[in-house]
Amino acid sequence: AQSVTQLDSHVSVSEGTPVLLRCNYSSSYSPSLFWYVQHPNKGLQLLLKYTSAATLVKGINGFEAEFKKSETSFHLTKPSAHMSDAAEYFCVVNTNRDDKIIFGKGTRLHILP
Amino acid sequence: DAGVIQSPRHEVTEMGQEVTLRCKPISGHNSLFWYRQTMMRGLELLIYFNNNVPIDDSGMPEDRFSAKMPNASFSTLKIQPSEPRDSAVYFCASSLVSGVGDTQYFGPGTRLTVL
């Protein structure tokens, strides 16, 4: 069975410092992995996705994520946080086999001035 | 393109009433998804359609919930009768490629409150 775990429900960083949002997955097959962002009172928006090409994936707004099969991780990073990054972030896995999609519980990112 | 359009944006109703949520996907997209988001349960996939055909409705909580997609540009999610525990934000999303593996584009959501 597939699953996805976002290790932190809340993360706080100061503006201008690096961001790390952690995601681990479990999948019997080669997965597709996504990160979505949700700003307050808005729908979700795709940040980036991994689909078995390059393991380092670059997304919008300076975010990137690295697929590490040995660690079953897909952590989201950004070198320098901006106030506009304050939002909730969802890690998502799809096994490409049984056509199921699983959303993580979300990590709320707070940016301190 | 206007993106995924949902209506109404907010709905307040009383327990026992019928509620109908509406969604217009992005033109040309082949899959449509209905999600429910609550603080307790997070984001849950309720049902999705490929080319207007329901593919997976295993997430639909019970028989009070039903969804239809009569054509490629319109879908409804109906709750009858509604209960307070149905209070949530309901999102519709669409994707170009059939199935759950493609990028999904989400609407702004409908906030449902059942009193």
Side-chain angles (χ1 to χ4, degrees):
Chain A
Q2 60 176 331
S3 65
V4 58
T5 302
Q6 292 185 243
L7 296 155
D8 305 296
S9 58
H10 292 265
V11 169
S12 295
V13 302
S14 297
E15 190 174 21
T17 64
V19 175
L20 170 64
L21 305 183
R22 298 182 294 167
C23 173
N24 286 94
Y25 70 92
S26 172
S27 175
S28 302
Y29 306 99
S30 180
S32 292
L33 295 158
F34 306 77
W35 276 99
Y36 284 85
V37 60
Q38 184 180 27
H39 287 93
N41 300 313
K42 302 286 187 184
L44 279 71
Q45 178 187 15
L46 181 73
L47 274 179
L48 50 82
K49 65 179 178 180
Y50 166 79
T51 54
S52 76
T55 57
L56 182 61
V57 183
K58 294 188 183 298
I60 62 172
N61 302 334
F63 284 94
E64 62 182 37
E66 187 171 6
F67 173 70
K68 292 186 176 180
K69 186 175 181 179
S70 60
E71 299 176 10
T72 61
S73 69
F74 190 57
H75 301 334
L76 182 69
T77 61
K78 182 174 180 177
S80 176
H82 191 273
M83 293 299 291
S84 61
D85 295 328
E88 188 149 22
Y89 293 78
F90 293 90
C91 183
V92 183
V93 63
N94 164 241
T95 62
N96 297 315
R97 178 86 175 189
D98 57 4
D99 217 23
K100 294 290 186 185
I101 186 168
I102 303 294
F103 282 73
K105 295 294 187 185
T107 298
R108 187 166 295 277
L109 177 62
H110 305 269
I111 310 298
L112 308 173
Chain B
D1 199 314
V4 175
I5 299 172
Q6 292 187 246
S7 64
R9 293 293 310 276
H10 301 270
E11 177 80 34
V12 180
T13 190
E14 293 187 346
M15 182 174 64
Q17 297 297 306
E18 177 180 301
V19 175
T20 300
L21 311 181
R22 297 173 176 78
C23 175
K24 176 179 169 56
I26 293 173
S27 177
H29 280 195
N30 293 309
S31 288
L32 182 140
F33 307 82
W34 281 102
Y35 291 91
R36 178 173 66 177
Q37 186 178 39
T38 62
M39 290 291 291
M40 292 298 295
R41 301 174 67 91
L43 199 64
E44 303 171 279
L45 176 63
L46 300 177
I47 185 172
Y48 80 92
F49 297 82
N50 281 350
N51 299 309
N52 314 336
V53 176
I55 300 301
D56 183 359
D57 65 354
S58 60
M60 296 286 262
E62 48 198 274
D63 292 344
R64 297 185 297 106
F65 286 69
S66 62
K68 293 182 180 180
M69 192 165 186
N71 57 61
S73 59
F74 183 66
S75 177
T76 59
L77 178 68
K78 183 180 293 186
I79 308 172
Q80 180 185 21
S82 58
E83 297 182 2
R85 60 192 168 120
D86 302 330
S87 297
V89 180
Y90 291 82
F91 289 102
C92 176
S94 69
S95 67
L96 181 63
V97 175
S98 297
V100 301
D102 194 23
T103 300
Q104 294 184 28
Y105 296 83
F106 283 75
T110 295
R111 183 174 296 276
L112 173 65
T113 302
V114 183
L115 304 174

